[in-house]
Amino acid sequence: MQKYLAKSNPPETIQEHTDNLLKNYQTLKKLYPEINIDWYLLELVCLLHDLGKMNRLFQKKVGNGSGVGKEIPHGYLSVAFVPYSKLEDLGYSEDEIQVVYQAIARHHERKKDFTEQEWETEIEKLSEQWETFFYERLADNADYSSEIDTIYFYPEARIFEGENTVEIETFKNYVQLKGLLNRIDFAASAGIDVELENDFLQESMEHQLANFQEKNAAADWNLLQKYMLQHQNENVVVIAETGMGKTEAGLLWLGNHKGFFTLPLRTAINAIYTRVTKEIVTDKQAQRVGLLHSETYSQYLLHEENTEMEIDEYYTRTRQMSLPVTICTLDQLFDFVFRYAGFEHKLATLSYSKVIIDEIQMYSPDLLAYLILGLSYIDKFGGKFCVMTATLPGIVLDLLHDNEVDFIQPEEKFVSERVRHSVEVVHTEIDSVFIKPFFHDNRILVICNTISKAKKIYSELKAMFPNKKVRLIHSQFIKKDRSKKEEEIFEDGQKDNPESCIWVATQVVEASLDIDFDLLFTELSDINGLFQRMGRCYRNRALDVDTNVYVFDGGEKVCSGVGKKLFIDETIFTKSKESLKNCSGALTEVKKMEMVEQIYSTESLEGSKFYDELTQALNYVKSFDSYELDKKEVRSKFRNINSITAIPATVWQENKEEITSYMEILARSSKEVSKKEKMIARTNLAEFMLNIPDYLYKKSEGEVHRINRYETVIEFKCDYSEDIGIIMQEKQKESLFF
């Protein structure tokens, strides 16, 4: 028997690699027998997917033979081994057999750069290798045909979503079969389990309740948490005010199932991950709970001492979605709505998972569109979701219904009777002179819509109180300084902190930080953003003062950041401003929710920029065929990237030696330094970086420093202060957001 390799480093035969796939296949079948999949067909594609690797040119590539010619991707050759006669005899339909061929051929998404004649020639040549190949686990599935009937497969063929019932069902079967084959194959190649069992979360939640009861014998899950526990097997949309224990509610709904917990902001995700691993799932965290966003490895480095396994393995398990519970950003999960080549493993995984969507009101129109479509697919494929939110834009419910998403809602909102905020609307632009007399041994938070406005107010307040603690936070600080500021504002923002201070901020504090200031002074952005900002003041305490929130509505003007080409929708701003006219004084949580529902209803939003962007994004994604975009295009579209990552020139010059040392590590080959060393260097280098908006980047110059063939670092020509952030030259007029 001839020895054929599936990979060379380390050497592994096709049979050995397939054995690993079958092990993971059995794991998946044991843990999730309810998956809507034909288990025989899944086992079959696992058996056959790599048999095409026995061709001479692939074997030459892995150092196990010789040959001359053009190598054809092995998936396209593996289809020669599909036992179609057996499948016909077993009663499988033409569509079902097509799915088998396509799942095998396209289990790696390779560019087709060969002719049909070249493909047929290589298929015929495989007969020679087939005669010397033996794998006992093929059993009666062992078959080879040099001629493949075009009703089942030809290289240009694709399975598309289609519109009629049969086409839709065939597409679903294809996504499931190829997606699960991908998951199993990825895990086998990485040397990890395709899934780890969730046999711990319900017990962990019971322990959490017991911990509460040790401090208070009468402690019990609240009405929200009990509702979620009672509706574990349904899609649920619930509205619950801040402080109602939505994290616990979501985890109770998840129970002992595979699940994904999504939030809008990385800082919020990091906080939830830290809390869950420290307070709820306190044992074997690295096998149970993962963190998935663009800076996962950096965060794992921070938590490294708490993990029982090597960090690279933990990172791999997380990226491969093998962990029972994953806390992640939307872009890591929901980009499958673009149906790019290779999306199938995500949707196939979500078909047997439960997804928690927290704070849906924080998403921009395009992300909200992707979320709605994603929930539609999850529902159709058999997965479950719950939406938990403090305020729910009315248009969301309409869009879920329009896209035929099945879900339930409780009759009542989960909201307490307490009043946390009393509002005074100030009919002028935000004004430091107005704020000045309120500062006396207390903690004040000032929130502006744009960075330029925040800098102006900060400079004025700093001049008014030169010997007091006045700080500024926004998005345009390098990561190292931003992290310090987040830690500092978190400490200053605790209600039992006796130190007086003023913090001037932008919307970066709207939902990412658990802070509780005494007084809030804020520009009006929109009603939803306003209520998010109000949550940073009297977060978890009842009102005990006459007024604790002052809202500047711009008077005869609009506030900063509002306008057609700016980030705050003018129509929504105007409606929000109008709704606040009758809101002087105490404002209940129920009233807040009603105002958001009304202003963000479909009828109210029609004609607004928000509505146009939302509907355009929905229609855009629906308009193109599956596989029209590649993954790189999708990542760019989904993240809506409109900024450049760079290091300010001042920071570069002050830290040149350290920055250069990290670049030198990244420039070395993988033989010279380990993956972990490179990731640590990349993480440390990122501490000096920030995101600079495109329009601002174009106003100055950026010097490109090359690390290696694939990576560069940009030195942006501007000044920088750890107190103020980026400082542009006078001629470079700025109008900064966030």
Side-chain angles (χ1 to χ4, degrees):
M1 182 185 74
Q2 179 71 37
K3 181 179 179 181
Y4 294 103
L5 294 180
K7 56 177 66 175
S8 58
N9 187 24
E12 183 179 58
T13 66
I14 292 172
Q15 293 93 328
E16 288 168 339
H17 177 61
T18 308
D19 284 344
N20 289 330
L21 262 80
L22 293 175
K23 177 186 170 187
N24 273 312
Y25 162 83
Q26 292 295 343
T27 298
L28 187 67
K29 188 175 182 180
K30 177 187 174 186
L31 293 181
Y32 299 103
E34 74 282 359
I35 295 176
N36 183 23
I37 189 74
D38 185 310
W39 289 102
Y40 164 65
L41 294 185
L42 181 57
E43 183 179 27
L44 181 66
V45 296
C46 287
L47 282 165
L48 307 181
H49 80 294
D50 266 3
L51 294 186
K53 283 184 175 179
M54 68 177 77
N55 79 84
R56 290 174 305 154
L57 293 172
F58 183 87
Q59 291 304 307
K60 177 186 177 184
K61 185 169 70 175
V62 293
N64 189 42
S66 62
V68 178
K70 182 179 186 178
E71 185 188 348
I72 291 175
H74 66 268
Y76 287 95
L77 301 180
S78 296
V79 296
F81 304 99
V82 175
Y84 66 89
S85 295
K86 177 184 176 182
L87 294 176
E88 290 172 340
D89 292 342
L90 289 171
Y92 285 101
S93 69
E94 182 181 309
D95 290 333
E96 289 169 322
I97 297 173
Q98 283 178 4
V99 165
V100 172
Y101 276 96
Q102 287 287 342
I104 292 170
R106 299 183 182 278
H107 74 273
H108 293 300
E109 293 291 348
R110 305 277 193 248
K111 294 286 186 183
K112 181 186 169 295
D113 61 350
F114 54 88
T115 67
E116 194 151 332
Q117 182 59 54
E118 288 171 330
W119 171 68
E120 289 173 353
T121 300
E122 287 303 309
I123 290 279
E124 288 175 9
K125 289 178 182 178
L126 281 172
S127 61
E128 184 180 332
Q129 283 79 40
W130 179 241
E131 289 175 7
T132 61
F133 180 86
F134 176 74
Y135 183 38
E136 62 181 356
R137 297 183 75 167
L138 284 172
D140 62 351
N141 293 308
D143 200 357
Y144 164 78
S145 176
S146 61
E147 294 185 9
I148 297 168
D149 195 324
T150 55
I151 67 167
Y152 291 139
F153 181 80
Y154 56 93
E156 287 78 16
R158 266 280 193 194
I159 292 176
F160 293 98
E161 192 161 3
E163 295 182 359
N164 64 52
T165 305
V166 173
E167 290 174 337
I168 291 170
E169 194 60 30
T170 300
F171 180 74
K172 284 173 66 176
N173 291 338
Y174 170 65
V175 169
Q176 288 288 79
L177 194 64
K178 179 183 181 291
L180 294 179
L181 170 61
N182 285 152
R183 286 286 316 286
I184 290 167
D185 190 21
F186 297 160
S189 296
I192 62 172
D193 294 322
V194 67
E195 290 289 359
L196 291 167
E197 185 176 7
N198 184 348
D199 58 358
F200 58 87
L201 189 54
Q202 284 184 194
E203 186 178 350
S204 296
M205 296 308 294
E206 289 166 7
H207 284 159
Q208 178 79 335
L209 180 58
N211 291 336
F212 294 153
Q213 289 171 339
E214 283 182 12
K215 299 172 185 175
N216 176 8
D220 195 5
W221 299 124
N222 63 30
L223 291 176
L224 165 67
Q225 293 157 347
K226 287 179 178 177
Y227 180 88
M228 299 301 285
L229 196 53
Q230 291 161 4
H231 295 87
Q232 282 186 325
N233 298 318
E234 296 169 278
N235 295 333
V236 183
V237 176
V238 295
I239 304 172
E241 72 170 281
T242 300
M244 292 290 282
K246 291 200 291 290
T247 301
E248 284 81 2
L251 295 175
L252 286 167
W253 174 81
L254 179 57
N256 281 1
H257 293 88
K258 184 176 182 67
F260 296 86
F261 198 124
T262 71
L263 294 107
L265 300 166
R266 277 200 306 265
T267 45
I269 290 167
N270 293 341
I272 292 287
Y273 171 76
T274 300
R275 185 170 163 230
V276 169
T277 52
K278 284 188 175 180
E279 297 178 16
I280 300 173
V281 183
T282 56
D283 188 34
K284 300 179 181 176
Q285 298 102 319
Q287 298 171 44
R288 293 176 168 179
V289 183
L291 176 74
L292 187 56
H293 55 55
S294 59
E295 297 176 5
T296 295
Y297 203 98
S298 302
Q299 285 299 309
Y300 281 178
L301 287 172
L302 295 176
H303 293 267
E304 189 172 14
E305 72 281 359
N306 300 324
T307 65
E308 298 87 3
M309 73 171 67
E310 211 276 323
I311 192 169
D312 284 346
E313 186 177 353
Y314 187 19
Y315 181 68
T316 300
R317 287 186 188 280
T318 305
R319 298 296 302 175
Q320 299 290 357
M321 303 196 298
S322 296
L323 293 164
V325 181
T326 304
I327 304 166
C328 60
T329 47
L330 199 69
D331 65 296
Q332 295 290 339
L333 208 58
F334 275 66
D335 61 353
F336 73 82
V337 298
F338 285 93
R339 307 179 312 284
Y340 55 86
F343 81 93
E344 298 88 355
H345 71 284
K346 289 189 178 180
L347 185 49
T349 302
L350 293 173
S351 76
Y352 60 93
S353 302
K354 299 172 80 172
V355 184
I356 301 164
I357 311 293
D358 197 2
E359 302 299 357
I360 196 171
Q361 80 283 352
M362 287 295 295
Y363 290 109
S364 59
D366 53 344
L367 292 182
L368 186 56
Y370 308 150
L371 179 58
I372 297 293
L373 291 174
L375 295 180
S376 172
Y377 275 110
I378 290 169
D379 183 37
K380 289 182 178 71
F381 272 71
K384 297 294 178 188
F385 70 84
C386 82
V387 173
M388 302 184 301
T389 186
T391 53
L392 181 66
I395 195 171
V396 171
L397 295 177
D398 290 342
L399 289 172
L400 288 172
H401 288 304
D402 291 347
N403 286 275
E404 301 178 344
V405 182
D406 184 40
F407 64 93
I408 63 167
Q409 264 191 292
E411 292 183 9
E412 300 293 329
K413 298 178 179 70
F414 295 101
V415 57
S416 67
E417 296 296 319
R418 68 178 177 174
V419 177
R420 296 184 294 145
H421 300 115
S422 181
V423 177
E424 180 180 323
V425 180
V426 185
H427 303 298
T428 65
E429 295 181 77
I430 192 164
D431 182 8
S432 56
V433 175
F434 182 96
I435 297 168
K436 182 180 179 181
F438 290 91
F439 185 41
H440 44 79
D441 297 323
N442 56 357
R443 295 168 304 113
I444 288 177
L445 178 62
V446 182
I447 304 182
C448 303
N449 293 342
T450 62
I451 292 176
S452 55
K453 180 68 75 171
K455 285 180 178 178
K456 177 177 181 294
I457 296 296
Y458 164 77
S459 297
E460 291 169 354
L461 290 171
K462 186 75 174 171
M464 291 173 185
F465 302 104
N467 300 317
K468 297 289 187 177
K469 186 173 188 177
V470 182
R471 297 285 188 271
L472 173 68
I473 183 170
H474 52 69
S475 65
Q476 286 172 10
F477 288 98
I478 61 172
K479 188 179 177 187
K480 181 167 61 173
D481 293 340
R482 169 92 173 260
S483 297
K484 285 180 188 172
K485 285 176 177 292
E486 286 175 352
E487 289 175 12
E488 191 177 4
I489 192 174
F490 177 79
E491 291 173 8
D492 289 345
Q494 300 309 301
K495 63 183 178 183
D496 55 357
N497 189 324
E499 186 179 4
S500 61
C501 62
I502 299 177
W503 275 88
V504 182
T506 57
Q507 66 189 57
V508 296
V509 301
E510 279 186 14
S512 59
L513 296 168
D514 187 0
I515 50 180
D516 186 350
F517 279 79
D518 300 321
L519 285 176
L520 171 67
F521 297 85
T522 178
E523 284 191 282
L524 176 62
S525 54
D526 63 272
I527 206 72
N528 209 355
L530 173 62
F531 294 154
Q532 286 295 314
R533 294 175 183 187
M534 287 166 67
R536 308 312 110 190
C537 168
Y538 274 60
R539 184 169 177 78
N540 282 309
R541 47 177 159 154
L543 186 69
D544 57 4
V545 293
D546 291 336
T547 304
N548 59 358
V549 177
Y550 295 85
V551 182
F552 296 82
D553 69 1
E556 297 299 315
K557 303 178 181 178
V558 295
C559 294
S560 67
V562 178
K564 288 182 180 179
K565 295 184 178 181
L566 303 177
F567 72 99
I568 298 172
D569 188 301
E570 199 165 2
T571 302
I572 296 175
F573 172 83
T574 302
K575 289 178 181 289
S576 300
K577 187 172 180 176
E578 185 68 25
S579 71
L580 285 173
K581 284 184 177 178
N582 302 316
C583 280
S584 181
L587 191 58
T588 66
E589 299 303 310
V590 171
K591 180 64 176 174
K592 292 177 191 174
M593 293 174 180
E594 288 173 352
M595 290 169 72
V596 170
E597 287 175 29
Q598 180 183 355
I599 291 173
Y600 280 85
S601 68
T602 303
E603 296 75 20
S604 176
L605 287 174
E606 283 182 350
S608 68
K609 184 174 74 170
F610 181 97
Y611 181 84
D612 290 344
E613 289 179 358
L614 175 57
T615 52
Q616 283 169 14
L618 279 166
N619 294 332
Y620 170 67
V621 179
K622 289 179 178 179
S623 68
F624 54 73
D625 289 327
S626 303
Y627 312 111
E628 195 170 315
L629 302 177
D630 64 30
K631 189 172 183 179
K632 190 173 181 181
E633 283 181 279
V634 167
R635 299 305 286 174
S636 176
K637 289 178 183 295
F638 198 96
R639 289 178 175 173
N640 194 18
I641 298 169
N642 57 358
S643 63
I644 306 294
T645 302
I647 299 176
T650 308
V651 175
W652 187 288
Q653 297 307 320
E654 290 173 355
N655 302 275
K656 190 172 184 178
E657 188 175 330
E658 187 177 352
I659 289 169
T660 304
S661 71
Y662 299 138
M663 291 173 65
E664 287 172 353
I665 292 172
L666 294 172
R668 293 178 194 165
S669 71
S670 55
K671 293 179 181 178
E672 296 177 291
V673 293
S674 68
K675 177 184 175 182
K676 184 173 180 178
E677 286 176 295
K678 286 199 171 191
M679 291 299 285
I680 291 172
R682 188 170 285 111
T683 298
N684 290 336
L685 183 61
E687 291 290 303
F688 298 104
M689 295 179 176
L690 50 70
N691 290 323
I692 299 169
D694 281 344
Y695 73 89
L696 191 60
Y697 183 75
K698 291 171 184 174
K699 293 179 184 296
S700 187
E701 298 175 23
E703 183 178 347
V704 178
H705 299 266
R706 183 159 295 282
I707 297 174
N708 52 42
R709 284 173 59 193
Y710 309 104
E711 294 178 277
T712 58
V713 178
I714 296 173
E715 178 185 353
F716 182 59
K717 302 298 182 184
C718 68
D719 291 327
Y720 178 85
S721 157
E722 64 181 50
D723 294 327
I724 297 172
I726 285 179
I727 304 169
M728 302 296 290
Q729 296 173 10
E730 281 299 314
K731 64 179 181 179
Q732 297 162 342
K733 188 180 177 184
E734 56 178 324
S735 176
L736 310 184
F737 303 155
F738 310 118

